[in-house]
């Protein structure tokens, strides 16, 4: 076994171990480990630099997309666009167990349009938790609904999982999304059927209002940040619809980052006309942007060195020899099917940048394209809701009356694993290019 082969396995083991340990930020691990391993394998610094910047170049479109997707959707959130939609739903709902649980799904769906789980948790739990307590609906059901809908809504072209997967398989994220969009829409409908069934189980469990409960006369609302400016709201709604249309259409403006860039500029001009406010908002939003940008830059270095040195090819050759030929071409489907329990052990960066590149290289030995691996991973990307290493995970537990992690997994794993399996099987059945 060559030194290059040895270092390829050492590099992956160190990457996985250090990322799982959470002792260092992902960027540090994904830069230092590949560079050290490449040096030990005998590569010069000029070669390593070229490999690294080849990898970084492949990430630039995704990084720009992240910057402006966060800016655009955060601006509309602060402008109260989603508050108005939620309040309109709350005014029209009838207070019974089924309607409350369906409304929970709708609130989670709307608030997750920006791809941010933290926003979803903060709004949905704040609005719905008092209703659940008053109506004796189990909080584990509230958690299950929020995580189920947020998981399915993660499969949007500006969401973290799809952006990561697209960067790994070197495909435009909107192109990847157009392939799987029909299945996401179907999965959303199926999710609401599941919520309906859950509501009937809650009623059997004794949930519901007493006949004289004063809650029946109350109208719940969330804080409306729109300020009541109807003209500004109409402009924001038109802008939101236009940006989503151009993102999904993909031909009129083929670069999605440019769509979000234009949308962000217009949204800033409409909602924050003063320069001081614009600067303050850029500073506020930059915290979310920088974290993912740093991670993607580190991933670019890692992927560039992994590929440029030939380590990934060496590792795949060894692994291919260990996998029975009869199942080799299905390796990516097996990993995708098991992604939910896998993400209980590792975080999404480790999964996308540590596991998927190796799976891609192994599958290519059997004639399976990288795009097929990416599509299978994208179909099951709701599994990211299972990772315990994000701030959102612990925020959700805190907002749900300090729910324990074991209660979280008992109430969510079967839902997320089930919807991921459904989406993967549906992709296979309708003939998506997953092999």
């Amino acid at each position: 076994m060559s030194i290059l082969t040895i270092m390829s396995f050492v590099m992956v083991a160190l990457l996985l171990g250090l990322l799982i340990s959470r002792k260092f930020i992902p960027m540090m691990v994904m830069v230092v480990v590949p560079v050290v391993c490449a040096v030990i394998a005998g590569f010069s610094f000029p070669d390593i630099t070229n490999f690294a910047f080849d990898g970084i170049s492949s990430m630039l479109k995704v990084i720009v997309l992240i910057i402006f997707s966060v800016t655009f959707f955060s601006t509309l959130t602060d402008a109260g666009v989603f508050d108005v939609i939620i309040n309109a739903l709350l005014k029209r709902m009838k207070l019974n167990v089924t309607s409350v649980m369906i409304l929970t799904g709708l609130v989670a769906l709307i608030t997750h349009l920006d791809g941010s789980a933290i926003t979803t948790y903060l709004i949905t739990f704040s609005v719905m938790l008092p209703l659940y307590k008053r109506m004796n609906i189990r909080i584990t059901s509230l958690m299950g609904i929020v995580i189920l809908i947020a998981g399915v809504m993660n499969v949007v072209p500006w969401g973290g999982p799809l952006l990561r997967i697209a960067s790994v398989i070197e495909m435009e994220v909107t192109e990847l999304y157009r392939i799987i969009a029909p299945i996401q829409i179907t999965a959303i409908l199926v999710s609401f059927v599941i919520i309906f069934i859950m509501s009937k189980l809650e009623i059997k469990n004794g949930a519901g209002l007493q006949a004289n409960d004063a809650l029946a006369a109350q109208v719940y609302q969330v804080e409306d940040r729109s300020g009541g400016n109807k003209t500004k709201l109409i402009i924001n709604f038109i802008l939101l619809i236009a940006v989503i249309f151009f993102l999904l259409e993909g031909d009129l403006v083929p670069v999605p980052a440019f769509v979000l860039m234009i949308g962000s500029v217009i949204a800033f001009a409409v909602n924050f006309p003063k320069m001081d406010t614009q600067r303050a908002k850029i500073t506020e939003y930059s915290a979310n942007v920088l974290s993912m940008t740093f991670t993607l830059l580190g991933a670019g270095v890692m992927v560039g060195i992994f590929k440029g040195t030939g380590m990934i090819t060496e590792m795949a050759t060894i692994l291919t020899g260990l996998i029975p030929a009869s199942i080799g071409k299905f390796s990516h489907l097996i990993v995708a099917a098991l992604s939910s329990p896998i993400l209980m052990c590792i975080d999404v960066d480790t999964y996308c940048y540590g596991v998927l590149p190796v799976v891609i290289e192994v599958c290519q030995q059997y004639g399976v394209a990288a795009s097929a691996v990416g599509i299978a991973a994208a179909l099951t990307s709701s599994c990211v809701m299972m990772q315990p290493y994000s701030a959102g995970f612990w925020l959700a537990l805190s907002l749900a009356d300090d729910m324990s992690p074991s209660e979280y997994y008992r109430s969510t794993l079967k839902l997320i694993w089930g919807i991921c399996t459904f989406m993967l099987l549906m992709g296979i059945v309708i003939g998506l290019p997953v092999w």
Side-chain angles (χ1 to χ4, degrees):
M1 188 179 291
S2 68
I3 183 65
L4 187 61
T5 304
I6 294 170
M7 292 315 301
S8 68
F9 282 96
V10 169
M11 179 172 133
V12 170
L14 286 173
L15 282 169
L16 293 176
L18 291 173
L19 286 170
I20 290 171
S21 74
R22 311 293 291 179
K23 292 182 178 179
F24 306 95
I25 63 172
M27 184 185 184
M28 290 178 62
V29 176
M30 290 189 283
V31 170
V32 174
V33 171
V35 169
V36 171
C37 290
V39 169
I40 295 173
F43 290 89
S44 66
F45 278 106
D47 285 339
I48 294 171
T49 302
N50 290 332
F51 298 151
F53 275 87
D54 284 343
I56 290 173
S57 298
S58 70
M59 299 288 178
L60 291 180
K61 283 186 179 180
V62 179
I63 290 171
V64 175
L65 183 62
I66 286 171
I67 291 170
F68 289 104
S69 66
V70 170
T71 302
F72 177 73
F73 286 104
S74 296
T75 300
L76 293 192
T77 299
D78 286 347
V81 172
F82 303 123
D83 299 339
V84 171
I85 299 173
I86 292 167
N87 281 335
L89 291 170
L90 285 166
K91 283 181 181 179
R92 288 163 176 76
M93 83 169 198
K94 294 179 181 179
L95 279 178
N96 59 59
V97 173
T98 300
S99 65
V100 166
M101 294 179 73
I102 293 292
L103 180 63
T104 304
L106 290 172
V107 172
L109 187 150
I110 292 165
T111 55
H112 209 74
L113 280 172
D114 65 353
S116 170
I118 289 177
T119 302
T120 303
Y121 299 154
L122 286 171
I123 295 176
T124 310
F125 281 105
S126 298
V127 173
M128 303 310 301
L129 186 58
L131 282 170
Y132 274 66
K133 288 182 176 179
R134 193 70 172 270
M135 300 181 76
N136 298 312
I137 306 173
R138 288 173 295 184
I139 297 177
T140 51
S141 291
L142 170 59
M143 180 67 81
I145 293 170
V146 173
I147 297 303
L148 174 63
I149 296 297
V152 176
M153 286 301 294
N154 258 334
V155 191
V156 290
W158 50 85
L162 225 61
L163 287 168
R164 290 176 173 90
I165 293 167
S167 69
V168 170
I169 64 174
E170 298 180 5
M171 177 187 284
E172 284 287 353
V173 68
T174 49
E175 180 184 351
L176 176 60
Y177 180 70
R178 282 197 295 271
I179 294 171
I180 64 174
I183 295 180
Q184 184 200 27
I185 294 169
T186 306
I188 290 172
L189 297 175
V190 169
S191 296
F192 278 98
V193 173
I194 293 171
I195 293 170
F196 178 80
I197 295 170
M198 289 172 66
S199 73
K200 298 307 176 186
L201 294 174
E202 286 296 327
I203 292 171
K204 285 186 178 180
N205 197 49
L209 285 172
Q210 299 297 320
N212 60 348
D213 199 317
L215 181 65
Q218 296 179 14
V219 177
Y220 271 66
Q221 299 280 276
V222 299
E223 180 186 357
D224 188 348
R225 289 167 286 184
S226 67
N229 190 323
K230 291 184 178 179
T231 302
K232 188 181 291 186
L233 267 176
I234 291 170
I235 294 171
N236 282 326
F237 275 117
I238 293 172
L239 181 60
L240 174 63
I241 293 167
V243 166
I244 292 176
F245 169 78
F246 284 113
L247 282 173
L248 300 183
E249 194 276 337
D251 292 326
L252 293 174
V253 186
V255 181
F258 190 56
V259 175
L260 286 163
M261 183 185 293
I262 295 173
S264 297
V265 170
I266 296 172
F268 253 52
V270 170
N271 297 289
F272 312 128
K274 295 182 179 180
M275 185 178 292
D276 289 345
T277 308
Q278 292 172 359
R279 286 176 175 167
K281 287 298 178 183
I282 289 172
T283 301
E284 179 184 333
Y285 301 154
S286 64
N288 292 328
V289 172
L290 283 176
S291 177
M292 189 172 286
T293 299
F294 279 10
T295 299
L296 282 169
L297 288 170
V301 172
M302 181 196 71
V303 171
I305 292 175
F306 208 20
K307 289 183 176 179
T309 58
M311 288 185 191
I312 193 167
T313 304
E314 291 290 318
M315 172 177 275
T317 302
I318 296 293
L319 293 176
T320 302
L322 299 175
I323 298 172
S326 58
I327 66 169
K329 62 185 287 188
F330 306 113
S331 301
H332 62 303
L333 297 178
I334 295 170
V335 171
L338 296 175
S339 56
S340 293
I342 288 173
L343 262 293
M344 291 173 65
C345 304
I346 62 177
D347 69 354
V348 64
D349 291 319
T350 308
Y351 179 71
C352 290
Y353 300 125
V355 176
L356 283 187
V358 177
V359 174
I360 288 169
E361 196 66 26
V362 168
C363 287
Q364 285 178 338
Q365 306 291 323
Y366 294 95
V368 178
S371 59
V373 179
I375 292 168
L379 288 171
T380 56
S381 57
S382 298
C383 66
V384 300
M385 307 309 294
M386 293 295 97
Q387 61 163 338
Y389 303 109
S390 66
F393 175 86
W394 298 103
L395 174 64
L397 296 183
S398 174
L399 292 171
D401 281 358
D402 292 319
M403 180 182 289
S404 69
S406 61
E407 286 180 299
Y408 174 91
Y409 285 121
R410 281 199 300 271
S411 60
T412 61
L413 178 59
K414 57 182 178 293
L415 295 172
I416 288 294
W417 202 353
I419 204 69
C420 286
T421 303
F422 167 78
M423 294 176 73
L424 182 61
L425 290 175
M426 186 176 174
I428 295 170
V429 169
I430 69 173
L432 291 190
V434 292
W435 53 32

